[in-house]
Amino acid sequence: MGKTRVLVLGGTGYMGKRIVRACLDQGHTTYVLQRPAQEIGLDIEKLQMLLAFKEQGARLVEGSFSDHQSLVNAVKQVDVVICTMSGVHFRSHNILMQLKLVEAIKEAGNVKRFLPSEFGMDPALMGHALEPGKVTFDEKMTVRKAIEESKIPFTYVSANCFAGYFAGNLSQLGTLLPPKDKVGIYGDGNEKVIFVDEDDVATYTVKTIDDPRTLNKTLYLRPQENILTQRQLIEKWEKLIGRTLEKFHISAQDFLAPMKVLDYATQVGLGHFYHIFYEGCLANFEIGKEGEEASQLYPEVQYTRMDTYLKRYI
């Protein structure tokens, strides 16, 4: 099944670099969009990453979201397009820029599959989300609408919680490291959450690109052993370090109380945390006929369990 020609946009980003590696590892002819010199400027780390990809066998193709024809030309060289532009406000939030990419794919007319930048909660299920965090889901749905109206073949990837942001810190806000003494528990800590290693997200994502079972469907990443409550995640950490952390509970009311005085990006994140840990939005529904579950489709993927993942923090 290898040798599909894949174009990755945002290839030097948090998920993008993993998608590029997964494409190369799975034997696909991998193209990475390289911004023109004036846009790269002096961002030497990204340039060096692009050059490293080139050494590993990727092909660099110049293009810019401010140059429609360059996007069309890039897209015409491939079978599959994967976009990994950031959609989180504390980094950069560029979801609607994908509308330019949709137009380029539509004009090129050759793409067999487009995977837009999603990789989190399924936005189709988040119409009730709290403001201002609802903007993330609304914008992703705007992109979906454009894709489907343009009749572009697609796969959407709902990867749930990236372990780097939600597992290593035991799901504590404002830190990436596990707490040393006290840990906050949201509500009773018993809502089911789904944690996935980011490299596994990339592996599963790339598996879909020429799989007819995922055509025009949403792929949900629900590796069975990584469906855990926050309490269970904390217990795994406590077992690893051989001691018990002091726990304090945060009610939904107390969690949301400071919302209005926080900066915009934090408000967005707080709303998303609320839906995950108080509402249980990741696992409180059954996957319907419009979706597939990744670990069932691809049982050969040896995904990272969270007790193994947490060992790196000791």
Side-chain angles (χ1 to χ4, degrees), residues 194-266:
I194 304 168
F195 304 94
V196 189
D197 180 286
E198 290 87 336
D199 291 329
D200 293 340
V201 173
T203 298
Y204 282 125
T205 297
V206 176
K207 286 271 187 183
T208 71
I209 63 175
D210 45 19
D211 187 343
R213 297 173 297 178
T214 59
L215 179 62
N216 296 337
K217 289 189 175 183
T218 299
L219 181 79
Y220 295 92
L221 275 57
R222 288 185 172 184
Q224 189 61 41
E225 291 187 42
N226 287 359
I227 303 176
L228 305 166
T229 67
Q230 189 194 8
R231 280 186 173 276
Q232 289 172 326
L233 181 71
I234 293 168
E235 287 169 4
K236 287 182 179 294
W237 175 247
E238 290 175 330
K239 185 176 180 180
L240 284 171
I241 63 173
R243 59 188 175 85
T244 301
L245 299 179
E246 181 182 340
K247 300 170 184 67
F248 61 96
H249 291 264
I250 307 166
S251 70
Q253 183 178 0
D254 288 344
F255 184 79
L256 293 175
M259 178 77 88
K260 291 183 180 180
V261 300
L262 297 170
D263 64 88
Y264 184 82
T266 305

Coordinates of all heavy atoms in Angstrom, one line a residue, residues 194-266:
I194 N -9.6 9.9 27.3 CA -8.8 9.1 26.4 C -7.5 9.8 26.1 O -7.5 10.9 25.6 CB -9.6 8.9 25.1 CG1 -11.0 8.2 25.4 CG2 -8.8 8.0 24.2 CD1 -11.9 8.2 24.2
F195 N -6.4 9.2 26.6 CA -5.1 9.7 26.4 C -4.3 9.0 25.3 O -4.3 7.7 25.3 CB -4.3 9.6 27.7 CG -5.0 10.2 28.9 CD1 -5.8 9.5 29.8 CD2 -4.8 11.6 29.2 CE1 -6.4 10.1 30.9 CE2 -5.4 12.2 30.3 CZ -6.2 11.4 31.1
V196 N -3.7 9.7 24.4 CA -3.0 9.1 23.3 C -1.6 9.7 23.1 O -1.5 11.0 23.0 CB -3.8 9.2 22.0 CG1 -3.1 8.3 20.9 CG2 -5.2 8.7 22.2
D197 N -0.6 8.9 23.0 CA 0.7 9.4 22.7 C 0.7 10.0 21.3 O 0.2 9.5 20.3 CB 1.7 8.2 22.7 CG 3.1 8.6 22.4 OD1 3.4 8.8 21.2 OD2 4.0 8.6 23.3
E198 N 1.4 11.2 21.2 CA 1.3 11.9 19.9 C 1.9 11.2 18.7 O 1.5 11.3 17.6 CB 2.0 13.3 20.1 CG 1.2 14.3 21.0 CD 1.5 14.1 22.5 OE1 2.0 13.1 22.9 OE2 1.3 15.1 23.2
D199 N 3.0 10.4 19.0 CA 3.5 9.6 17.9 C 2.6 8.5 17.4 O 2.5 8.2 16.2 CB 4.8 8.9 18.4 CG 6.0 9.9 18.6 OD1 6.0 11.0 17.8 OD2 6.8 9.7 19.4
D200 N 1.8 8.0 18.4 CA 0.7 7.0 18.0 C -0.4 7.7 17.2 O -0.9 7.1 16.2 CB 0.1 6.4 19.2 CG 1.1 5.5 19.9 OD1 2.1 5.1 19.3 OD2 0.9 5.2 21.1
V201 N -0.7 9.0 17.5 CA -1.7 9.7 16.7 C -1.2 9.8 15.3 O -2.0 9.6 14.4 CB -1.9 11.1 17.3 CG1 -2.7 12.0 16.4 CG2 -2.5 11.1 18.7
A202 N 0.1 10.1 15.1 CA 0.6 10.2 13.7 C 0.6 8.9 13.0 O 0.2 8.8 11.8 CB 2.0 10.7 13.8
T203 N 0.9 7.8 13.7 CA 0.9 6.5 13.1 C -0.5 6.1 12.6 O -0.7 5.7 11.5 CB 1.4 5.4 14.1 OG1 2.8 5.7 14.4 CG2 1.4 4.0 13.5
Y204 N -1.5 6.3 13.5 CA -2.8 5.9 13.1 C -3.3 6.8 12.0 O -4.0 6.3 11.1 CB -3.8 6.1 14.3 CG -3.7 5.0 15.4 CD1 -3.4 5.2 16.7 CD2 -4.0 3.6 15.0 CE1 -3.4 4.2 17.7 CE2 -3.9 2.6 15.9 CZ -3.6 2.9 17.3 OH -3.6 1.9 18.2
T205 N -3.0 8.1 12.1 CA -3.5 9.0 11.0 C -3.0 8.6 9.7 O -3.8 8.5 8.7 CB -3.0 10.5 11.4 OG1 -3.6 10.9 12.6 CG2 -3.4 11.4 10.3
V206 N -1.7 8.3 9.6 CA -1.1 8.0 8.3 C -1.7 6.6 7.8 O -1.8 6.4 6.6 CB 0.4 8.0 8.3 CG1 1.0 7.6 7.0 CG2 0.8 9.5 8.6
K207 N -2.0 5.7 8.7 CA -2.6 4.4 8.3 C -3.9 4.6 7.5 O -4.2 3.8 6.6 CB -2.9 3.6 9.5 CG -1.7 3.0 10.2 CD -1.4 1.6 9.6 CE -0.3 0.9 10.4 NZ 0.1 -0.4 9.8
T208 N -4.6 5.7 7.7 CA -5.9 5.9 7.1 C -5.8 6.3 5.6 O -6.9 6.2 4.9 CB -6.7 7.0 7.8 OG1 -6.2 8.3 7.6 CG2 -6.7 6.7 9.3
I209 N -4.7 6.9 5.2 CA -4.8 7.7 4.0 C -5.2 7.0 2.7 O -5.7 7.6 1.8 CB -3.4 8.5 3.8 CG1 -2.3 7.6 3.5 CG2 -3.2 9.4 5.0 CD1 -1.0 8.3 3.2
D210 N -4.9 5.7 2.6 CA -5.4 5.0 1.5 C -6.2 3.8 1.9 O -6.3 2.8 1.1 CB -4.2 4.5 0.6 CG -3.0 4.0 1.3 OD1 -3.2 3.5 2.5 OD2 -1.9 3.9 0.8
D211 N -6.8 3.9 3.0 CA -7.7 2.8 3.5 C -9.2 3.2 3.1 O -9.7 4.2 3.6 CB -7.6 2.7 5.0 CG -8.3 1.6 5.6 OD1 -9.2 1.0 4.9 OD2 -8.1 1.2 6.8
P212 N -9.8 2.4 2.3 CA -11.2 2.7 1.9 C -12.2 2.7 3.1 O -13.2 3.3 3.0 CB -11.5 1.6 0.9 CG -10.5 0.5 1.2 CD -9.3 1.2 1.6
R213 N -11.8 2.0 4.2 CA -12.7 2.0 5.3 C -12.9 3.3 6.0 O -13.8 3.5 6.8 CB -12.2 0.9 6.3 CG -12.2 -0.5 5.8 CD -11.6 -1.4 6.8 NE -10.2 -1.1 7.0 CZ -9.4 -1.8 7.8 NH1 -9.9 -2.8 8.6 NH2 -8.1 -1.4 8.0
T214 N -11.9 4.2 5.8 CA -11.9 5.5 6.5 C -12.3 6.7 5.5 O -12.3 7.8 5.9 CB -10.6 5.8 7.1 OG1 -9.5 5.8 6.1 CG2 -10.2 4.8 8.2
L215 N -12.6 6.3 4.3 CA -13.0 7.4 3.3 C -14.3 8.1 3.7 O -15.3 7.4 4.0 CB -13.2 6.7 1.9 CG -13.6 7.7 0.8 CD1 -12.5 8.8 0.6 CD2 -13.8 6.9 -0.5
N216 N -14.2 9.4 3.8 CA -15.4 10.2 4.2 C -16.0 9.8 5.6 O -17.2 9.9 5.8 CB -16.5 10.2 3.1 CG -16.0 10.8 1.8 OD1 -15.1 11.6 1.8 ND2 -16.6 10.4 0.7
K217 N -15.1 9.5 6.5 CA -15.5 9.1 7.8 C -14.6 9.8 8.9 O -13.5 10.4 8.5 CB -15.4 7.6 8.0 CG -16.5 6.8 7.3 CD -16.5 5.4 7.7 CE -17.6 4.6 7.1 NZ -17.6 3.2 7.6
T218 N -15.0 9.8 10.1 CA -14.2 10.3 11.2 C -13.5 9.1 11.9 O -14.1 8.1 12.2 CB -15.0 11.0 12.3 OG1 -15.7 12.1 11.6 CG2 -14.2 11.5 13.4
L219 N -12.2 9.2 12.0 CA -11.4 8.2 12.8 C -11.3 8.6 14.2 O -10.7 9.7 14.5 CB -10.0 8.0 12.1 CG -9.2 6.9 12.8 CD1 -9.6 5.5 12.3 CD2 -7.7 7.2 12.5
Y220 N -11.8 7.8 15.1 CA -11.7 8.1 16.6 C -10.6 7.2 17.1 O -10.5 6.0 17.0 CB -13.0 7.7 17.3 CG -14.1 8.6 16.9 CD1 -15.0 8.2 15.8 CD2 -14.4 9.8 17.5 CE1 -16.1 9.0 15.4 CE2 -15.5 10.6 17.1 CZ -16.3 10.2 16.1 OH -17.3 11.0 15.7
L221 N -9.7 7.8 17.9 CA -8.6 7.1 18.5 C -9.0 6.8 20.0 O -9.1 7.7 20.8 CB -7.3 7.9 18.5 CG -6.4 7.8 17.3 CD1 -7.2 8.2 16.0 CD2 -5.1 8.7 17.4
R222 N -9.4 5.5 20.2 CA -9.8 5.1 21.5 C -9.1 3.8 21.9 O -9.7 2.8 22.1 CB -11.3 4.8 21.5 CG -12.2 6.0 21.4 CD -13.7 5.6 21.5 NE -14.5 6.8 21.7 CZ -15.8 6.7 21.9 NH1 -16.4 5.5 22.0 NH2 -16.6 7.8 22.0
P223 N -7.8 3.8 22.0 CA -7.0 2.6 22.4 C -7.5 2.2 23.8 O -7.5 3.0 24.8 CB -5.6 3.1 22.4 CG -5.6 4.5 22.5 CD -6.9 5.0 21.8
Q224 N -8.0 1.0 23.9 CA -8.8 0.5 25.0 C -8.1 0.7 26.4 O -8.7 1.2 27.3 CB -9.2 -1.0 24.9 CG -10.2 -1.5 25.9 CD -11.5 -0.7 25.9 OE1 -12.0 -0.4 24.8 NE2 -12.1 -0.4 27.0
E225 N -6.8 0.4 26.4 CA -6.1 0.5 27.7 C -5.8 2.0 28.1 O -5.3 2.2 29.2 CB -4.9 -0.3 27.7 CG -5.2 -1.8 27.7 CD -3.9 -2.7 27.8 OE1 -3.1 -2.3 28.6 OE2 -3.8 -3.7 27.1
N226 N -6.0 2.9 27.2 CA -5.8 4.3 27.5 C -7.1 5.1 27.8 O -7.0 6.3 27.8 CB -5.0 5.0 26.4 CG -3.6 4.5 26.3 OD1 -3.1 3.7 27.1 ND2 -2.8 5.0 25.4
I227 N -8.2 4.4 27.9 CA -9.4 5.0 28.3 C -9.4 5.0 29.9 O -9.7 3.9 30.5 CB -10.7 4.3 27.7 CG1 -10.6 4.3 26.2 CG2 -11.9 5.0 28.2 CD1 -11.7 3.5 25.5
L228 N -9.1 6.1 30.5 CA -8.9 6.1 31.9 C -9.6 7.3 32.5 O -9.8 8.3 31.9 CB -7.4 6.3 32.2 CG -6.4 5.3 31.6 CD1 -5.0 5.8 31.7 CD2 -6.6 3.9 32.3
T229 N -10.0 7.2 33.8 CA -10.4 8.3 34.5 C -9.2 9.1 35.0 O -8.1 8.6 35.0 CB -11.3 7.9 35.7 OG1 -10.4 7.2 36.7 CG2 -12.4 7.0 35.3
Q230 N -9.4 10.3 35.4 CA -8.2 11.1 36.0 C -7.7 10.4 37.2 O -6.5 10.3 37.4 CB -8.6 12.5 36.3 CG -7.4 13.4 36.7 CD -7.8 14.7 37.4 OE1 -9.0 14.9 37.7 NE2 -6.8 15.5 37.6
R231 N -8.6 9.8 38.0 CA -8.1 9.1 39.2 C -7.2 7.9 38.8 O -6.2 7.6 39.5 CB -9.4 8.5 40.0 CG -10.0 9.6 40.9 CD -11.1 8.9 41.7 NE -11.7 9.8 42.7 CZ -11.2 10.1 43.9 NH1 -10.0 9.5 44.2 NH2 -11.7 10.9 44.7
Q232 N -7.6 7.2 37.8 CA -6.8 6.0 37.4 C -5.5 6.5 36.8 O -4.5 5.8 37.1 CB -7.6 5.2 36.3 CG -8.8 4.5 36.8 CD -9.6 3.9 35.7 OE1 -9.8 4.4 34.6 NE2 -10.2 2.7 36.0
L233 N -5.4 7.6 36.2 CA -4.1 8.1 35.7 C -3.2 8.5 36.9 O -2.0 8.1 36.9 CB -4.4 9.4 34.8 CG -3.1 10.0 34.2 CD1 -2.5 9.1 33.1 CD2 -3.4 11.4 33.7
I234 N -3.8 9.1 37.9 CA -3.0 9.5 39.1 C -2.5 8.2 39.8 O -1.4 8.2 40.2 CB -3.9 10.4 40.0 CG1 -4.1 11.7 39.3 CG2 -3.2 10.5 41.4 CD1 -5.2 12.5 40.0
E235 N -3.4 7.2 39.9 CA -3.0 5.9 40.5 C -1.8 5.3 39.8 O -0.9 4.7 40.5 CB -4.2 5.0 40.5 CG -5.3 5.4 41.6 CD -6.5 4.6 41.4 OE1 -6.6 3.7 40.5 OE2 -7.5 4.9 42.1
K236 N -1.8 5.4 38.5 CA -0.6 4.8 37.7 C 0.7 5.6 38.1 O 1.7 4.9 38.3 CB -0.9 4.9 36.2 CG -1.9 3.9 35.7 CD -2.1 4.1 34.2 CE -3.1 3.1 33.7 NZ -2.7 1.7 33.8
W237 N 0.5 6.9 38.2 CA 1.7 7.7 38.6 C 2.2 7.3 40.0 O 3.4 7.2 40.3 CB 1.4 9.2 38.5 CG 2.5 10.1 38.9 CD1 2.5 10.9 40.0 CD2 3.8 10.2 38.3 NE1 3.7 11.6 40.1 CE2 4.5 11.2 39.1 CE3 4.4 9.6 37.2 CZ2 5.9 11.5 38.8 CZ3 5.8 10.0 36.9 CH2 6.4 10.9 37.7
E238 N 1.2 7.3 40.9 CA 1.5 6.9 42.3 C 2.2 5.6 42.4 O 3.1 5.4 43.2 CB 0.3 7.0 43.2 CG -0.2 8.4 43.4 CD -1.6 8.5 44.1 OE1 -2.3 7.5 44.0 OE2 -1.8 9.5 44.8
K239 N 1.8 4.6 41.7 CA 2.4 3.3 41.7 C 3.8 3.4 41.2 O 4.7 2.7 41.7 CB 1.5 2.3 40.8 CG 2.0 0.9 40.8 CD 1.1 0.0 40.0 CE 1.6 -1.5 40.1 NZ 0.7 -2.4 39.3
L240 N 4.0 4.2 40.2 CA 5.4 4.3 39.6 C 6.4 4.9 40.6 O 7.5 4.5 40.7 CB 5.4 5.1 38.3 CG 4.8 4.4 37.1 CD1 4.6 5.4 35.9 CD2 5.8 3.3 36.6
I241 N 5.9 6.0 41.3 CA 6.8 6.7 42.2 C 6.8 6.1 43.7 O 7.6 6.5 44.5 CB 6.5 8.2 42.3 CG1 5.1 8.4 42.9 CG2 6.6 8.8 40.9 CD1 4.7 9.9 43.1
G242 N 5.9 5.2 43.9 CA 5.8 4.5 45.2 C 5.3 5.3 46.4 O 5.7 5.1 47.5
R243 N 4.5 6.4 46.1 CA 3.9 7.1 47.2 C 2.6 7.8 46.7 O 2.3 7.8 45.5 CB 4.9 8.2 47.7 CG 5.3 9.2 46.7 CD 6.4 10.1 47.3 NE 7.0 11.0 46.3 CZ 6.4 12.2 46.0 NH1 5.3 12.6 46.6 NH2 7.0 13.0 45.0
T244 N 1.8 8.2 47.7 CA 0.5 8.8 47.4 C 0.6 10.3 47.5 O 1.2 10.9 48.4 CB -0.5 8.3 48.5 OG1 -0.5 6.8 48.4 CG2 -1.9 8.8 48.2
L245 N 0.0 10.9 46.5 CA -0.1 12.4 46.5 C -1.3 12.9 47.3 O -2.4 12.2 47.3 CB -0.2 12.9 45.1 CG 0.9 12.6 44.1 CD1 0.6 13.1 42.7 CD2 2.2 13.1 44.6
E246 N -1.2 14.0 47.9 CA -2.3 14.7 48.5 C -3.3 15.1 47.5 O -2.9 15.8 46.5 CB -1.9 15.8 49.4 CG -3.0 16.5 50.2 CD -2.6 17.7 51.0 OE1 -1.4 17.8 51.3 OE2 -3.4 18.6 51.3
K247 N -4.6 14.9 47.7 CA -5.6 15.2 46.6 C -6.6 16.2 47.1 O -7.0 16.2 48.3 CB -6.3 13.9 46.2 CG -5.4 12.9 45.6 CD -6.1 11.6 45.4 CE -5.1 10.5 44.9 NZ -4.1 10.2 45.9
F248 N -6.9 17.2 46.3 CA -8.0 18.1 46.6 C -8.9 18.2 45.4 O -8.5 18.1 44.2 CB -7.4 19.5 46.9 CG -6.6 20.1 45.8 CD1 -7.2 21.1 44.9 CD2 -5.3 19.9 45.7 CE1 -6.5 21.7 43.9 CE2 -4.5 20.5 44.7 CZ -5.1 21.4 43.8
H249 N -10.2 18.3 45.7 CA -11.3 18.3 44.6 C -11.6 19.7 44.2 O -11.7 20.6 45.0 CB -12.5 17.5 45.1 CG -12.2 16.0 45.3 ND1 -12.5 15.1 44.3 CD2 -11.7 15.3 46.3 CE1 -12.2 13.9 44.8 NE2 -11.7 14.0 46.0
I250 N -11.9 19.8 42.9 CA -12.3 21.1 42.4 C -13.7 20.9 41.8 O -13.9 20.2 40.8 CB -11.3 21.6 41.3 CG1 -9.9 21.6 41.8 CG2 -11.7 23.0 40.8 CD1 -8.8 21.7 40.7
S251 N -14.7 21.6 42.4 CA -16.0 21.5 41.8 C -16.1 22.2 40.5 O -15.3 23.1 40.2 CB -17.0 22.1 42.8 OG -16.9 23.5 42.8
A252 N -17.1 21.9 39.7 CA -17.4 22.5 38.4 C -17.6 24.0 38.6 O -17.0 24.8 37.8 CB -18.6 21.9 37.7
Q253 N -18.3 24.4 39.6 CA -18.5 25.8 39.9 C -17.2 26.5 40.2 O -17.0 27.6 39.7 CB -19.5 26.0 41.1 CG -19.9 27.4 41.4 CD -20.9 27.5 42.5 OE1 -21.3 26.5 43.1 NE2 -21.3 28.7 42.9
D254 N -16.4 26.0 41.0 CA -15.1 26.6 41.4 C -14.2 26.6 40.2 O -13.4 27.6 40.0 CB -14.4 25.9 42.5 CG -15.2 26.1 43.9 OD1 -16.0 27.0 43.9 OD2 -14.9 25.3 44.8
F255 N -14.2 25.6 39.4 CA -13.4 25.5 38.2 C -13.7 26.6 37.2 O -12.8 27.3 36.7 CB -13.6 24.1 37.5 CG -12.6 23.9 36.3 CD1 -11.3 23.6 36.5 CD2 -13.1 24.1 35.0 CE1 -10.5 23.4 35.4 CE2 -12.3 23.9 33.9 CZ -10.9 23.5 34.1
L256 N -15.0 26.9 37.0 CA -15.4 27.9 36.0 C -15.4 29.3 36.6 O -15.5 30.3 35.8 CB -16.7 27.6 35.5 CG -16.8 26.3 34.6 CD1 -18.2 26.0 34.2 CD2 -15.9 26.4 33.4
A257 N -15.4 29.5 37.9 CA -15.5 30.8 38.6 C -14.6 31.9 38.0 O -15.0 33.0 37.8 CB -15.4 30.6 40.1
P258 N -13.3 31.6 37.8 CA -12.4 32.6 37.4 C -12.4 32.9 35.9 O -11.6 33.7 35.4 CB -11.0 32.1 37.8 CG -11.1 30.6 37.7 CD -12.6 30.3 38.1
M259 N -13.3 32.3 35.1 CA -13.3 32.3 33.7 C -13.2 33.8 33.2 O -12.4 34.1 32.3 CB -14.6 31.7 33.1 CG -14.7 31.7 31.6 SD -13.7 30.5 30.8 CE -14.7 29.1 30.8
K260 N -14.0 34.7 33.7 CA -14.1 36.0 33.1 C -12.9 36.9 33.3 O -12.7 37.9 32.6 CB -15.4 36.7 33.6 CG -16.7 36.1 33.1 CD -17.9 36.9 33.6 CE -19.2 36.2 33.1 NZ -20.4 36.9 33.6
V261 N -12.1 36.6 34.3 CA -10.9 37.4 34.6 C -9.6 36.9 33.9 O -8.6 37.5 34.0 CB -10.7 37.6 36.1 CG1 -11.9 38.2 36.8 CG2 -10.3 36.2 36.7
L262 N -9.7 35.7 33.3 CA -8.5 35.1 32.6 C -8.4 35.7 31.2 O -9.3 36.2 30.6 CB -8.7 33.6 32.6 CG -8.8 32.9 33.9 CD1 -9.2 31.5 33.7 CD2 -7.5 33.0 34.7
D263 N -7.2 35.5 30.7 CA -6.9 36.0 29.3 C -7.7 35.0 28.4 O -8.1 33.9 28.7 CB -5.4 36.0 29.0 CG -4.8 34.6 29.1 OD1 -4.8 33.9 28.1 OD2 -4.3 34.2 30.2
Y264 N -7.8 35.5 27.1 CA -8.7 34.8 26.1 C -8.2 33.3 25.9 O -9.0 32.4 26.0 CB -8.6 35.5 24.8 CG -9.6 34.9 23.8 CD1 -10.9 35.2 23.7 CD2 -9.0 34.1 22.8 CE1 -11.7 34.7 22.8 CE2 -9.9 33.6 21.8 CZ -11.2 33.9 21.8 OH -12.0 33.3 20.8
A265 N -6.9 33.1 25.7 CA -6.4 31.8 25.4 C -6.7 30.8 26.6 O -7.0 29.7 26.4 CB -4.9 31.8 25.1
T266 N -6.5 31.3 27.8 CA -6.8 30.5 29.0 C -8.3 30.2 29.1 O -8.6 29.1 29.5 CB -6.3 31.2 30.3 OG1 -4.9 31.5 30.1 CG2 -6.4 30.3 31.5

